[in-house]
Amino acid sequence: MITHTARAYDTDIRPVLWIDGPEPIVRMLDQRLLPTRTVWLDLDDPEAVARGITDMVVRGAPAIGISAAYGIALAMHQHARVSQDADAFDATLLRVCDRFAATRPTAVNLFWAIDRMRAAAASVAGRPIDERATRLIAEARTIHDEDIGYCRSMGDFGAALLPDEGGVITHCNAGALATGGYGTALGVLRSAFAGGKRLHVFVDETRPFLQGARLTAWECVTDGMAATLITDNMAGSLMQQGKIQAAVVGSDRIAANGDVANKIGTYAVAVLCRYHGIPFFVAAPTSTVDLACADGAAIPIEERTTREVSDIGGWAPDGAVVRVAPEGIAIHNPAFDVTPAALVTAIITERGVARPPFAQPLRQMVEAAERLRR
Ligand code: MRU
C-alpha cells in the first residue's frame, strides 16, 4: 500500500483539450516544439486534427486515440449545423472515422477510440442529428477523462512494484504528453515519487525522434522528478554498473499473448534487462491490448520518413535541420519494435497487474473493462 506524500508530482500537463462553445475547437500542445517553446494550436478543422496526429503535434497511444475522438466529435458537430439528414450524418461519420483510422497504424488506442465513437453514434441512432452530435462530444470527453483515471490507477498498481530506492529506466515518452494526462510509465513513476520512493529516473533520449530528450526530460523537470538524460546506447553500461533497478515503459499495442509493441529501442532495453536480471515492466491501459492480434508478428509497425534518421532537428516544422548522414545512404526507420512476452516481467493496466503467462489475465482484464462500460 502506498502512502502518498503531500507532494504530487503532477502539474496537470494535458496534450489535447476540447474547448467548448458555439464554435468548439480542439486545442493541441505542439509537442514538436517542446521543450524550447510551449505553443498551443487551436484547431477548428477536423482535417487539421488528423494531420496533427500524423505529423506528431500530438503523439503517444492514448493521446492519439483521444485526439481522434475529439476530431470526430468536431467533424460531426460541424456537420450537424448544416444538415439534419440521418443518412448524410452516417455517411459523414463513416468517412471521418476512415480518415482518422489512416493517420497512424501502430497504436491500437486509435482504432479503439474510433470504435467507441462509432458505437456511441449507433447508440442514439434514430435520434435527432443535434442529439447524436452532442452524444459524440460527450463520448470523446468521457474517453479523455477515463484515460486520466486509468493512468492514476496504473500509477498506484505500478508504483507498488518498484523498489523503495534506486534507478528506473524509461524509454520514449509515456507520460502526461502521451495520454489524457498523468501518463502510463511516467505515471507509475509519478505515483512512486508521490508515495515517497527515492527513485532516480534514467531517461533514454529515444533516437530518432527524441521523445525522451525533448518530452520525458521536460516532464521530469517540470514536475521535479529526479532524472538523468542518457543516450540510448548508455543504458547497458549503467545496468552493468548496478545503477538501474527496474525498467518501466508504455506500449502502443499489446498482443493477446503479451508481446509488446512500443517505441523502437524498447526491445533492446528489455534484452539488456533480462541479461542483467532487472525487472522490465510495461504500463498500458486495457485499450492498448489488442486481443485480435494473436502475437506481436500481427502488429503493424509504422515506417516513418528517413529524414528523421538522416537529419537532426526535423521534428520542429520551422526549426533548423542539420544533416548527419551522407546523401545516397539507405536508411531504415521503423517507429516501433516488438518485445516478446518472455522478456516482460509484468503488464500494469488500470485493472491490475498481469503476470506471465499473460494470455488469460489480459483477456480477463479487457473483458472486465468492456463489461464496466456497457
Ligand atoms: O511515435 P510516438 O511518439 O507516438 O510513440 C509513443 C510511444 O512509443 C509510447 O511509448 C507509447 O505510445 C505509450 S504512451 C503512454
Side-chain angles (χ1 to χ4, degrees), residues 37 46 53 57 109 115 196 199 227 278 299 332:
R37 280 179 291 163
I53 296 172
V57 172
N109 308 63
D115 284 348
L199 298 176
I278 294 167
I299 299 176
H332 179 47

Side-chain angles (χ1 to χ4, degrees), residues 122-135:
S123 73
V124 283
R127 303 294 304 162
I129 295 304
D130 283 342
E131 186 183 326
R132 296 186 77 193
T134 304
R135 174 75 188 81

Side-chain angles (χ1 to χ4, degrees), residues 56 59-62 104 172 174 178-179 184 211 251-252 262-263 336:
M56 310 278 275
R59 29 63 53 203
R104 290 190 76 189
C172 193
T179 59
T184 55
Q211 288 95 331
S251 173
D252 289 82
N262 191 47
K263 181 53 54 194
F336 302 96

Side-chain angles (χ1 to χ4, degrees), residues 3-365:
T3 324
H4 284 271
T5 59
R7 163 106 160 75
Y9 289 77
D10 177 17
T11 42
D12 286 343
I13 299 161
R14 301 284 179 264
V16 60
L17 295 166
W18 177 266
I19 307 297
D20 224 347
E23 308 280 350
I25 52 164
V26 176
R27 182 167 287 167
M28 274 183 188
L29 178 56
D30 192 341
Q31 299 190 28
R32 300 168 304 176
L33 304 179
L34 288 172
T36 48
R37 280 179 291 163
T38 306
V39 175
W40 290 90
L41 304 180
D42 284 350
L43 308 175
D44 59 5
D45 177 5
E47 177 56 27
V49 178
R51 277 202 308 275
I53 296 172
T54 303
D55 296 346
M56 310 278 275
V57 172
V58 66
R59 29 63 53 203
I64 292 171
I66 293 160
S67 300
Y70 282 148
I72 293 166
L74 183 64
M76 299 320 295
H77 168 83
Q78 292 176 353
H79 179 89
R81 298 189 65 172
V82 293
S83 166
Q84 292 296 307
D85 181 77
D87 290 342
F89 186 90
D90 288 337
T92 301
L93 180 64
L94 196 66
R95 181 178 54 73
V96 170
C97 287
D98 286 351
R99 171 68 188 98
F100 277 94
T103 50
R104 290 190 76 189
T106 303
V108 76
N109 308 63
L110 171 69
F111 307 97
W112 173 89
I114 293 171
D115 284 348
R116 268 188 71 164
M117 295 300 279
R118 282 200 178 102
S123 73
V124 283
R127 303 294 304 162
I129 295 304
D130 283 342
E131 186 183 326
R132 296 186 77 193
T134 304
R135 174 75 188 81
L136 287 175
I137 295 172
E139 185 68 5
R141 298 186 97 153
T142 302
I143 289 171
H144 191 172
D145 291 345
E146 279 178 3
D147 186 70
I148 298 171
Y150 294 164
C151 286
R152 290 188 185 280
S153 300
M154 279 181 266
D156 285 343
F157 287 126
L161 301 177
L162 296 181
D164 288 342
E165 55 185 30
V168 181
I169 191 166
T170 190
H171 191 74
C172 193
N173 172 263
L177 290 167
T179 59
Y182 202 68
T184 55
L186 211 53
V188 166
L189 284 157
R190 282 194 162 92
S191 294
F193 277 105
K197 297 200 173 192
R198 291 177 302 283
L199 298 176
H200 194 94
V201 188
F202 287 98
V203 179
D204 268 355
E205 69 168 348
T206 316
R207 272 279 284 157
F209 211 72
L210 302 192
Q211 288 95 331
R214 295 187 303 107
L215 308 177
T216 302
W218 179 76
E219 287 196 39
C220 288
V221 169
T222 302
D223 277 353
M225 287 180 270
T228 298
L229 175 64
I230 58 170
T231 62
D232 301 335
N233 51 5
M234 295 174 186
S237 171
L238 284 172
M239 290 184 193
Q240 194 179 41
Q241 294 166 44
K243 293 193 172 150
I244 295 177
Q245 279 63 49
V248 57
V249 300
S251 173
D252 289 82
R253 195 183 297 223
I254 300 174
N257 71 340
D259 288 352
V260 172
N262 191 47
K263 181 53 54 194
I264 191 74
T266 302
Y267 171 56
V269 176
V271 171
L272 283 169
C273 282
R274 175 56 52 93
Y275 182 79
H276 291 94
I278 294 167
F280 179 85
F281 299 115
V282 176
T286 50
S287 54
T288 303
V289 180
D290 185 0
L291 296 178
C293 278
D295 58 37
I299 299 176
I301 301 295
E302 178 182 10
E303 275 280 337
R304 292 188 62 84
T305 169
T306 57
R307 309 293 299 188
E308 289 179 358
V309 176
S310 62
D311 300 355
I312 301 279
W315 45 81
D318 55 352
V321 170
V322 177
R323 176 125 192 148
V324 291
E327 295 288 351
I329 188 71
I331 292 173
H332 179 47
N333 187 22
F336 302 96
D337 61 24
V338 175
T339 298
L343 296 180
V344 178
T345 308
I347 297 175
I348 304 148
T349 79
E350 79 278 13
R351 308 233 20 116
V353 176
R355 298 270 184 185
F358 292 111
Q360 201 189 353
L362 284 181
R363 179 169 293 278
Q364 281 170 350
M365 285 177 181

